[in-house]
Amino acid sequence: MPLPLGYPQPLEELIRSLRRLPGIGARTAERLALALLEWPEADLQALGQSLSTLRARLHPCTQCGNLADTPLCLICANPQRQTELICVVETAAQIPVIERCGSFRGLYHVLGGRLAPLDHRGPEQLRLAELHQRLAAGNVREVILATSSDVEGEATAAYLAMDLQRPGLIISRIASGVPVGADIGFADPATIAIALRARRNLG
Ligand SMILES: [Zn+2]
């Protein structure tokens, strides 16, 4: 879509980049770009530095796959967390959504996607071996499946419920307080808290 006003190239490039962000329309992108232009030089440099080093400074947590800048993420490294409880999510972006509800004190496991047979995404592309390793290692009492409530999310949960079965392990599924088809990333903290509390046992 063409931009409404003829901005000089550097501004136009910035506006185009900002518009790629979720929830940012043409007007907002313009306003943000013009606001950045007013920032002190040092602040702009710091922002540029944050952006250009972002990927290099982050890596997946060696235990759960969450985003981290140390070998273990802040959640895995926290001795207050309940290590016998693992909440399985599709992406690291879903972790802060669940954290915000404040009622989950266990650990996480990031699958790195979900099953999508039509897109040729099978179980071998998910971080399942790592999850099996964690279960084999010890004291996990319950795995909560918090994949989305749409078709692919449900299919992934159904597969995991079978695949993860082992004696003494409770496998549960968060209640679908999240509207059907909605990504868990868009649910509000209260909905997530209810969905976690009302989780049902899958065996
Ligand atoms: Zn972690």
Side-chain angles (χ1 to χ4, degrees):
M1 210 193 288
L3 289 165
L5 299 170
Y7 284 113
Q9 190 66 24
L11 260 179
E12 198 168 307
E13 280 170 18
L14 179 58
I15 292 170
R16 279 186 200 286
S17 296
L18 291 170
R19 281 192 63 184
R20 294 176 60 187
L21 294 168
I24 304 290
R27 286 280 167 74
T28 308
E30 271 181 61
R31 235 182 29 241
L32 291 175
L34 293 170
L36 284 169
L37 201 54
E38 302 294 319
W39 278 22
E41 188 56 32
D43 294 359
L44 268 186
Q45 295 287 350
L47 176 62
Q49 179 79 0
S50 295
L51 291 175
S52 61
T53 59
L54 184 63
R55 284 244 172 81
R57 288 162 63 197
L58 291 174
H59 58 77
C61 166
T62 51
Q63 180 167 256
C64 75
N66 188 14
L67 294 172
D69 63 345
T70 45
L72 285 180
C73 74
L74 291 173
I75 294 171
C76 287
N78 180 349
Q80 313 280 4
R81 306 292 299 214
Q82 300 169 325
T83 55
E84 68 276 11
L85 208 54
I86 293 182
C87 180
V88 176
V89 293
E90 292 165 13
T91 66
Q94 290 166 334
I95 292 178
V97 179
I98 297 175
E99 284 296 288
R100 235 169 273 140
C101 85
S103 60
F104 181 71
R105 301 300 298 154
L107 301 177
Y108 292 92
H109 192 85
V110 178
L111 289 175
R114 54 194 179 159
L115 298 181
L118 296 179
D119 297 331
H120 308 290
R121 244 191 351 264
E124 65 288 345
Q125 270 141 295
L126 303 179
R127 295 181 62 256
L128 282 182
E130 292 89 337
L131 182 53
H132 278 289
Q133 258 171 34
R134 291 179 73 182
L135 297 181
N139 67 339
V140 180
R141 182 176 50 83
E142 181 177 355
V143 171
I144 304 171
L145 305 174
T147 52
S148 301
S149 59
D150 58 8
V151 177
E152 291 179 355
E154 289 294 353
T156 307
Y159 177 85
L160 291 177
M162 285 191 315
D163 186 58
L164 299 178
Q165 264 179 22
R166 58 173 62 225
L169 179 70
I170 298 170
I171 299 174
S172 60
R173 175 85 172 112
I174 55 164
S176 47
V178 188
V180 174
D183 190 280
I184 194 177
F186 294 109
D188 62 278
T191 306
I192 294 284
I194 293 165
L196 269 170
R197 214 176 315 130
R199 64 186 184 265
R200 66 202 147 81
N201 207 327
L202 298 180

